[in-house]
Amino acid sequence: MKYPKEYLDEIKLRLKVSQVVGKSVQLKKRGKEFIGLSPFKNEKSPSFTVSDEKEFYHCFSTGEHGNIFDFLMKTKSLTFGEAVKFLAAEAGMPTYKFTKMDTEKERRFNSYKNIFKEYSDYFHEQIFKSENNQALKYLEKRGINQNIIKEYHLGYVPWQNNFYEKIKAKFSEEEISLTGLYYKNEKTQKFIDRFNSRIIFPINNLTGETIAFGGRIIKESSFAKYINSPETEFYKKGRVVFNLDKAKALRSEVKEVVIVEGYMDVVSLFAAGIKNVISNSGTALTETQIELVWKFFSNPIICLDGDQSGQNAALRIAEKLLVSINENNKIYFSILPQGEDPDDFVKKNGKEKFVDFLKSKKIIQSYIWDTYLSDVNTRNPFEISKFEKKMKSICYGIKDEVLKKYILEDFLEKLKNLTPIQNIKKSFIPYAKRNFKILNQTKQLYQEKNHFSKAEIKERSIL
């Protein structure tokens, strides 16, 4: 039986090649790769290399080459199935159990991705045709040249094209329907292309296979500016991150990745030379998505539009994701000036200014504190009370108990220093203690000098 590709990809995602190979070969870091003595041949000088970025090992002495499954099969004499079971356990995944349903699902996925590939290839060619030059001109006006168009395999879907007739000759109506690329007009009973008159952005899974599209209209109209593929059996918006298949190649170079709001922002920043950039896929960023991002980048920076809706979205994301942070995986926020998005900013100011802007990022808990505090009147006890309760409730959700303790302590310390009353009280305590001590000393001297008892002093109200 054949293992589903998604299952094997998940194992490879959880286990680095150096992690698996390093258990039997002593490896040393050299640049982006690791080197060591070949496990396939006795040698004195290392000729064996491992690349986590490219997910393979290579032995220059023997020509042996492969992934983590190949390594175990060749060094431990395991079958492929045994290697998969061993590494699945190592990755903390359950053993895969085959059913007839799995076989059928694999068949459906093969049809699904093949339809998407043909659709993507066909409409990528259309964007360069003279009759569709309005799409090319639009992208060029946005600073997207033909090299970037090819890099991202961008396409254009002309109005009333005949691609459905072409694809119907190879795949069944049911298979085409499962992709969500077409919907049926109830009156005419004809299939309509969902992305008519739009530039399309292929949305890929981690292995670079197209499983959905984002579409951008190029002329002002009453239609939505952006649309996305509907959710399908193989595409869940809350589990996919646009451009992560490309950006993950940089994981050995940087810990940071910029998370922006839209496909055009990603492509525009990439065109400006900022390649560690990704975006969510038409929904608010989810815990599942951030967990996926953390597998490659420990310090993502969420950079949303500077308008009010962008700032509101950033705050909602921060509250939702704070619960998941830990000592190794953090989240930062950089909110652009009012009225600007990443695309606008980088075009106006260039790559270096954008990189400098990102340096002013705020860690997630500070971003939440500062954002809520900006709307609080610190002289109003009701507002301060509400603010304190809000900060505590947000903090209580953090899953990492130790981290929760210290972030809560930090919040409470800030609350103590927040208002003038608190500050006066804080400064008054040592002053009061000092004066109380002097008062007691004075009473004692007065008592000794006049031979009064403590009761007499109290009765006469002396001092």
Side-chain angles (χ1 to χ4, degrees):
M1 295 289 286
K2 186 180 178 183
Y3 284 94
K5 190 172 182 298
E6 300 100 310
Y7 183 76
L8 300 178
D9 287 342
E10 181 66 21
I11 294 173
K12 288 192 285 186
L13 185 63
R14 295 190 184 197
L15 299 175
K16 293 181 179 179
V17 185
S18 60
Q19 182 181 344
V20 175
V21 173
K23 292 190 174 181
S24 54
V25 178
Q26 191 171 353
L27 298 173
K28 290 183 179 180
K29 193 87 163 66
R30 187 179 67 182
K32 296 181 184 178
E33 298 183 339
F34 295 85
I35 61 167
L37 296 174
S38 173
F40 306 108
K41 180 183 179 181
N42 290 326
E43 60 180 11
K44 294 182 179 179
S45 299
S47 69
F48 182 77
T49 64
V50 169
S51 173
D52 286 333
E53 182 181 327
K54 297 174 182 175
E55 298 183 343
F56 65 65
Y57 64 85
H58 183 79
C59 177
F60 288 93
S61 294
T62 63
E64 291 286 355
H65 178 96
N67 57 31
I68 52 176
F69 304 109
D70 300 317
F71 184 79
L72 287 190
M73 290 165 66
K74 291 173 181 176
T75 60
K76 306 290 185 185
S77 299
L78 300 179
T79 65
F80 179 70
E82 289 169 337
V84 172
K85 287 178 183 178
F86 179 88
L87 291 173
E90 193 81 3
M93 293 170 60
T95 301
Y96 193 84
K97 295 180 180 178
F98 290 97
T99 66
K100 288 182 179 179
M101 289 177 64
D102 295 320
T103 306
E104 182 57 28
K105 184 178 179 180
E106 183 73 6
R107 186 198 65 76
R108 289 197 305 274
F109 182 59
N110 283 330
S111 297
Y112 182 93
K113 66 183 181 181
N114 287 335
I115 293 170
F116 268 97
K117 186 177 187 312
E118 295 211 18
Y119 187 96
S120 184
D121 288 346
Y122 180 81
F123 290 112
H124 177 62
E125 291 176 5
Q126 294 297 311
I127 205 169
F128 297 109
K129 293 195 172 180
S130 57
E131 60 265 33
N132 300 321
N133 65 354
Q134 71 271 30
L136 203 58
K137 285 180 179 178
Y138 172 83
L139 289 172
E140 287 172 350
K141 187 178 177 182
R142 298 290 300 265
I144 309 302
N145 61 36
Q146 292 196 22
N147 289 333
I148 301 298
I149 292 171
K150 291 173 182 175
E151 174 75 30
Y152 277 90
H153 214 64
L154 303 184
Y156 178 68
V157 182
W159 178 254
Q160 294 181 333
N161 64 82
N162 64 349
F163 183 74
Y164 185 82
E165 300 304 318
K166 293 177 182 293
I167 202 72
K168 197 169 70 170
K170 294 183 180 181
F171 299 92
S172 69
E173 186 176 302
E174 182 185 5
E175 288 172 322
I176 298 170
S177 178
L178 288 173
T179 65
L181 291 169
Y182 295 88
Y183 62 92
K184 200 169 190 177
N185 185 309
E186 296 301 325
K187 290 183 179 179
T188 64
Q189 293 298 298
K190 289 185 177 180
F191 285 91
I192 309 298
D193 197 312
R194 188 176 299 277
F195 295 100
N196 263 327
S197 302
R198 292 177 183 270
I199 290 169
I200 53 173
F201 299 78
I203 299 170
N204 301 335
N205 60 19
L206 285 174
T207 53
E209 296 165 320
T210 301
I211 55 172
F213 288 103
R216 210 284 185 196
I217 205 155
I218 60 174
K219 293 181 179 178
E220 293 300 321
S221 73
S222 58
F223 295 111
K225 186 186 293 185
Y226 283 97
I227 62 170
N228 300 289
S229 286
E231 291 204 343
T232 67
E233 182 181 11
F234 303 108
Y235 170 60
K236 306 298 179 188
K237 293 178 184 178
R239 298 179 185 176
V240 177
V241 179
F242 178 67
N243 202 49
L244 188 56
D245 59 309
K246 293 182 186 297
K248 69 183 177 69
L250 302 168
R251 60 181 167 177
S252 60
E253 299 176 29
V254 293
K255 292 182 179 180
E256 296 178 341
V257 66
V258 185
I259 304 176
V260 293
E261 201 167 357
Y263 312 121
M264 186 59 79
D265 288 327
V266 170
V267 176
S268 183
L269 290 177
F270 187 94
I274 300 165
K275 299 187 177 181
N276 56 326
V277 58
I278 56 179
S279 80
N280 52 337
S281 194
T283 60
L285 201 66
T286 66
E287 285 184 61
T288 302
Q289 286 173 317
I290 203 67
E291 293 283 354
L292 180 60
V293 172
W294 275 334
K295 289 179 179 178
F296 304 101
F297 303 97
S298 56
N299 296 336
I301 304 170
I302 295 173
C303 180
L304 301 187
D305 298 356
D307 58 18
Q308 193 58 50
S309 63
Q311 292 183 45
N312 292 342
L315 185 58
R316 287 195 301 272
I317 290 169
E319 284 192 50
K320 183 167 61 175
L321 299 184
L322 181 71
V323 300
S324 301
I325 62 171
N326 56 59
E327 60 195 49
N328 296 316
N329 297 317
K330 305 172 183 68
I331 303 172
Y332 294 86
F333 284 79
S334 290
I335 305 303
L336 287 159
Q338 178 70 33
E340 290 194 1
D341 60 26
D343 180 29
D344 296 328
F345 189 96
V346 79
K347 281 185 175 62
K348 187 191 299 182
N349 303 290
K351 174 186 174 182
E352 296 307 319
K353 286 283 179 67
F354 186 79
V355 172
D356 286 341
F357 163 73
L358 292 177
K359 291 176 183 175
S360 63
K361 64 186 183 294
K362 291 182 181 180
I363 198 163
I364 185 169
Q365 66 268 26
S366 296
Y367 172 73
I368 292 172
W369 171 276
D370 291 345
T371 303
Y372 273 110
L373 182 60
S374 64
D375 291 329
V376 174
N377 178 358
T378 56
R379 294 182 177 276
N380 185 322
F382 298 100
E383 288 191 26
I384 288 290
S385 173
K386 185 178 179 181
F387 174 67
E388 178 175 343
K389 289 171 185 174
K390 181 68 176 178
M391 289 300 99
K392 285 180 178 178
S393 69
I394 289 171
C395 191
Y396 288 148
I398 298 172
K399 296 173 187 175
D400 186 316
E401 293 295 331
V402 177
L403 185 61
K404 178 199 296 184
K405 171 189 169 185
Y406 289 112
I407 289 181
L408 182 58
E409 282 182 4
D410 180 52
F411 279 174
L412 292 175
E413 185 61 30
K414 286 179 179 177
L415 280 163
K416 283 182 184 177
N417 298 317
L418 195 58
T419 63
I421 294 171
Q422 291 285 349
N423 288 330
I424 291 168
K425 183 180 177 182
K426 188 176 180 181
S427 61
F428 175 76
I429 289 171
Y431 171 82
K433 284 181 177 178
R434 185 174 66 252
N435 283 282
F436 185 72
K437 185 177 181 181
I438 293 169
L439 182 64
N440 278 338
Q441 289 173 343
T442 305
K443 282 183 177 181
Q444 188 176 353
L445 288 170
Y446 189 87
Q447 181 184 351
E448 289 173 356
K449 183 178 178 180
N450 295 282
H451 306 288
F452 287 140
S453 67
K454 288 181 180 180
E456 287 175 315
I457 291 173
K458 185 176 179 181
E459 184 181 344
R460 297 174 184 224
S461 298
I462 302 171
L463 300 175

